[in-house]
Amino acid sequence: IFDKSEKQLRLGKGYSLLIHDSDGASSFMQLKSDISGTNHRIIADGNLQLQADQINLRNRFATEIMLKATQNGSVELYHDNSKKLETTAYGATVTGTVNADSATVTGIINLDSSGNTSRTKLSQVNTFGGNILRIQNNNGTVDIGTANSSFSHFITDRNKFYFNKPIHVDGNIVNAHDGDLELQRVTA
């Protein structure tokens, strides 16, 4: 029913609006509501395109935003009206915790809890013939990993190591990388 006073086309529960070609042979789009009036669907043959400079997807009362997409700009996803993910020119920004059962990162991970540019960086480096983890900040680097099948590696560009706890060695031998130093507990 077309309501001329409110300039609205009204359909009752369970009815559909079909938009189709001139001979009615096939429908291109259907707006449909179920009998209860709680489920509403747009059904389209082929692609359904929304075209605008900015698209906002909101709840039925328009009090909460769920998605915002801006031409030549970001796409933002919201949870309970709070922005959680935003695409940027460089990738994406996530606010909150990311839970994943796996991840592959190509490049460097920058850890920054203070908001400054002196970040701690995690990356993969190839040393001693294998790939190991590099932890780097403005003061230097520490590489940790198993670069080959013979040893576990702990490598730094600093001239000293500092341990704030005792070092316990299973096997009772501490050996330098070049063999010049060897400490061994003598058992009587």
Side-chain angles (χ1 to χ4, degrees):
I1 298 172
F2 181 70
D3 184 338
K4 188 176 180 181
S5 64
E6 294 188 28
K7 298 178 184 173
Q8 292 180 351
L9 179 62
R10 295 182 181 210
L11 300 174
K13 293 177 182 177
Y15 286 90
S16 303
L17 173 65
L18 292 175
I19 302 171
H20 55 81
D21 59 8
S22 59
D23 63 6
S26 63
S27 63
F28 292 124
M29 189 171 78
Q30 179 180 15
L31 302 175
K32 188 173 188 175
S33 174
D34 68 7
I35 294 174
S36 69
T38 57
N39 294 308
H40 310 286
R41 296 183 295 172
I42 299 174
I43 303 165
D45 292 343
N47 296 324
L48 175 64
Q49 296 184 19
L50 301 175
Q51 292 180 250
D53 293 336
Q54 181 172 305
I55 295 173
N56 296 318
L57 181 61
R58 296 180 172 272
N59 68 344
R60 67 182 268 197
F61 302 109
T63 56
E64 288 192 14
I65 188 161
M66 295 181 280
L67 178 138
K68 179 178 169 183
T70 305
Q71 176 183 329
N72 300 322
S74 65
V75 174
E76 301 171 1
L77 294 177
Y78 291 76
H79 175 81
D80 196 18
N81 210 34
S82 177
K83 183 170 41 172
K84 296 299 177 183
L85 186 136
E86 178 180 8
T87 63
T88 67
Y90 307 104
T93 300
V94 176
T95 302
T97 302
V98 176
N99 295 318
D101 61 0
S102 67
T104 300
V105 177
T106 54
I108 295 173
I109 299 173
N110 292 307
L111 305 175
D112 182 6
S113 61
S114 61
N116 62 33
T117 58
S118 59
R119 299 181 171 119
T120 298
K121 299 175 181 179
L122 300 179
S123 61
Q124 178 179 291
V125 295
N126 188 305
T127 188
F128 291 110
N131 294 318
I132 62 175
L133 174 67
R134 170 165 285 171
I135 304 169
Q136 178 180 357
N137 65 18
N138 288 347
N139 296 319
T141 63
V142 174
D143 299 340
I144 303 170
T146 53
N148 58 44
S149 61
S150 299
F151 299 100
S152 289
H153 296 82
F154 186 83
I155 306 158
T156 183
D157 64 348
R158 306 292 82 201
N159 59 2
K160 296 179 183 178
F161 290 94
Y162 171 78
F163 298 96
N164 67 342
K165 303 288 182 197
I167 298 173
H168 299 273
V169 179
D170 189 19
N172 300 321
I173 298 174
V174 177
N175 193 336
H177 78 282
D178 57 8
D180 290 344
L181 169 69
E182 183 175 288
L183 301 176
Q184 182 173 356
R185 175 176 288 155
V186 177
T187 56

